[in-house]
Amino acid sequence: MALIAQPFRHPDSGIYYLRRRVPGDLRHIIGKTEIRRSLNTRNHQQAKAAFAVAYAESERLFNDARQGLYLEHHQPEVPAKPLPASYLPARIEASIKLSEALARYVQSISMSGRSEYVSRRHAVDYSRAVKRYMTDMGDMPIAAIRPSHIHAFAANLIQPENANVKPLATSSTRLLLARLSSVLAFSVDSGLIEANPVTASRIHKRLGSGKPKRRLDDNRGYTWSELVTLFSHAEFQRLRTAEGRPGNAVFWIPLIAAYTGGRREELAQLYVEDIHQHEGNSWFIRVIDDRPDKSVKTDSSRREIPVHPDLIALGLLSLVQGREPGTRVFPQLVKVSDGFAGIISKSWRPITQRCGVYQAGRNPLHAFRHSFKTLAREHGIPKEVSDWITGHASGHIGDSYGINPLSRMALEIRKLPSIAKAAGLLPSV
């Protein structure tokens, strides 16, 4: 029994593709063994609709090839009818330049189903990477880009020939090359070029590991004593009533992060209605990208986070009670290029330095996410529950079935020790 053709989902990117083998008798005409086209979406329903169109186009391609209507460089005498650009062979569109490939890539981003803000930010970041290549190497035809060009580009990023240009760290160079590679991979998927020159260059192997090897004494999160030091410090406690920008957000966001493991941007973008009561009168923080100015990092990031009783006792609800729905919890935070929370990070780092807990290589705000996971392990919160709370995908297919019971999460969060009492923010019983 023949299998029904289905969209192929890329295991890393999650983007769906049409993948179809070229019949053996047509491979010498088409010049490929497989047709591969990006469907430009991670949504399965959207992919099924786009797949039907792409599959029909591939059928027309095969029919044209059988009828001698396929345009090929070794058959110039055959009059060919125009073919859809979506399946023209690479040789026909080899002359397009990198700037045009970038424009097509940016246009495809709007089909991904992401929020407007995420799509816009994605376009800005990836455009910046490609434009840096064009500044250094020129707006080349994409078919002319060779691995040697990629190596020369990487070398100039790390050691610029122009003394006035600031060199990039290896990690920043890797990120920029990865974004350039994504645009060129899209060009491969679109049939514009045969191979990705960034991948072919093996430049990432030459640059070494993207992350340093983990040492046994390497702790990316705060220890218990460091948490107590931070939250008991007089400078931190005065921030509770701070006004202006960023104001009291520098008091609340680190505290909420310590008790939830939430990401800085997830907390900085909250709306009043995102802090709400659920079954059993327990309070939860909803993380969701339901507005143009809200985003999530991954699909598993959309979640409900139980609120620890300490946060209620500290007055978290005073931030939302009596406030109009549709307003943000921290209205003083303004969204700029690095999101709402960039100013929080800039304000928090010097506080950690003055408290004596700053550690080079440790992200002062993201460290709370690591601390939460450590405390959860130490105090018996099961891994699957801490993953639900922090929005970490387990990678096990069985975990995608069913729902995460909120009552269980609300019960387990109480196992966390009281940082606020240890730091003197709440009276000890």
Side-chain angles (χ1 to χ4, degrees):
M1 180 179 178
L3 295 177
I4 299 174
Q6 295 286 338
F8 165 75
R9 183 177 182 274
H10 194 283
D12 296 327
S13 68
I15 294 176
Y16 284 94
Y17 291 81
L18 163 80
R19 292 184 64 181
R20 192 174 181 193
R21 289 201 171 276
V22 176
D25 61 322
L26 300 179
R27 291 178 184 176
H28 70 286
I29 300 174
I30 295 175
K32 296 181 180 180
T33 60
E34 182 183 70
I35 299 289
R36 183 179 180 185
R37 297 287 179 268
S38 172
L39 302 178
N40 299 314
T41 182
R42 292 183 174 84
N43 181 285
H44 184 62
Q45 293 302 318
Q46 294 175 0
K48 287 170 67 176
F51 179 82
V53 175
Y55 192 90
E57 288 183 353
S58 68
E59 276 294 302
R60 288 196 295 271
L61 172 65
F62 296 158
N63 289 334
D64 288 342
R66 289 191 175 96
Q67 295 172 26
L69 298 176
Y70 186 86
L71 182 59
E72 189 60 38
H73 73 287
H74 61 273
Q75 296 177 328
E77 72 283 4
V78 177
K81 68 178 183 180
L83 297 177
S86 60
Y87 65 73
L88 284 174
R91 284 181 289 279
I92 295 176
E93 295 206 62
S95 62
I96 79 162
K97 293 190 173 182
L98 184 56
S99 56
E100 171 62 18
L102 173 62
R104 296 189 186 197
Y105 178 80
V106 170
Q107 185 179 26
S108 74
I109 293 173
S110 62
M111 301 172 63
S112 66
R114 298 172 180 170
S115 68
E116 180 184 352
Y117 168 72
V118 174
S119 296
R120 185 170 63 250
R121 184 66 207 169
H122 185 103
V124 168
D125 289 341
Y126 285 65
S127 296
R128 184 179 293 135
V130 174
K131 289 176 181 177
R132 178 62 186 270
Y133 180 92
M134 291 190 289
T135 298
D136 288 5
M137 308 297 293
D139 188 8
M140 308 170 63
I142 56 175
I145 300 175
R146 299 286 181 265
S148 59
H149 295 124
I150 302 300
H151 281 274
F153 175 53
N156 196 49
L157 291 175
I158 296 173
Q159 294 181 330
E161 294 180 0
N162 187 340
N164 296 321
V165 176
K166 183 180 178 181
L168 293 185
T170 301
S171 58
S172 298
T173 299
R174 288 177 63 88
L175 178 60
L176 193 150
L177 287 168
R179 288 171 174 170
L180 173 64
S181 181
S182 293
V183 175
L184 292 170
F186 170 79
S187 297
V188 174
D189 295 341
S190 301
L192 303 178
I193 50 176
E194 293 291 340
N196 183 342
V198 178
T199 303
S201 73
R202 298 169 63 84
I203 187 63
H204 285 86
K205 184 175 182 180
R206 300 291 183 271
L207 290 173
S209 173
K211 295 181 179 179
K213 292 183 179 179
R214 184 77 181 272
R215 304 191 312 270
L216 291 178
D217 61 346
D218 180 22
N219 186 0
R220 290 173 289 176
Y222 296 112
T223 64
W224 176 258
S225 62
E226 288 175 329
L227 289 172
V228 173
T229 298
L230 278 170
F231 294 134
S232 63
H233 199 274
E235 181 179 359
F236 168 76
Q237 297 194 12
R238 284 195 296 269
L239 293 170
R240 184 197 288 258
T241 56
E243 297 180 351
R245 179 174 179 263
N248 66 349
V250 187
F251 175 85
W252 283 108
I253 287 179
L255 260 179
I256 299 171
Y259 276 99
T260 65
R263 299 179 179 92
R264 67 177 199 176
E265 197 64 25
E266 293 175 342
L267 305 178
Q269 69 186 7
L270 291 174
Y271 274 71
V272 168
E273 54 268 37
D274 290 328
I275 300 178
H276 61 122
Q277 269 184 307
H278 256 296
E279 56 193 59
N281 295 324
S282 297
W283 286 88
F284 285 81
I285 296 173
R286 179 194 295 116
V287 176
I288 190 171
D289 52 343
D290 58 345
R291 293 174 179 269
D293 60 349
K294 296 168 71 177
S295 60
V296 294
K297 185 175 181 180
T298 64
D299 287 343
S300 61
S301 299
R302 299 183 186 92
R303 64 196 188 279
E304 297 278 4
I305 304 174
V307 176
H308 192 281
D310 280 3
L311 292 176
I312 304 295
L314 286 166
L316 175 66
L317 300 184
S318 66
L319 298 177
V320 298
Q321 289 177 335
R323 299 267 306 276
E324 286 292 326
T327 59
R328 293 184 33 251
V329 174
F330 302 107
Q332 70 270 35
L333 301 182
V334 178
K335 194 161 205 170
V336 292
S337 60
D338 54 354
F340 288 113
I343 191 172
I344 304 297
S345 295
K346 291 180 178 68
S347 302
W348 184 247
R349 183 181 295 271
I351 293 175
T352 65
Q353 292 170 331
R354 288 192 285 272
C355 289
V357 302
Y358 176 78
Q359 188 178 105
R362 181 168 68 186
N363 186 313
L365 269 184
H366 197 71
F368 288 115
R369 195 162 167 81
H370 292 279
S371 301
F372 177 86
K373 297 292 281 193
T374 299
L375 287 174
R377 295 181 188 117
E378 288 179 348
H379 294 274
I381 297 178
K383 180 182 182 301
E384 71 270 15
V385 178
S386 70
D387 284 347
W388 298 340
I389 294 171
T390 56
H392 280 128
S394 71
H396 192 283
I397 188 64
D399 291 339
S400 63
Y401 286 76
I403 61 172
N404 304 332
L406 300 182
S407 58
R408 169 89 184 283
M409 295 166 70
L411 184 64
E412 294 288 348
I413 199 72
R414 293 174 176 269
K415 293 181 179 179
L416 281 182
S418 179
I419 306 170
K421 290 180 180 178
L425 290 168
L426 290 174
S428 299
V429 178

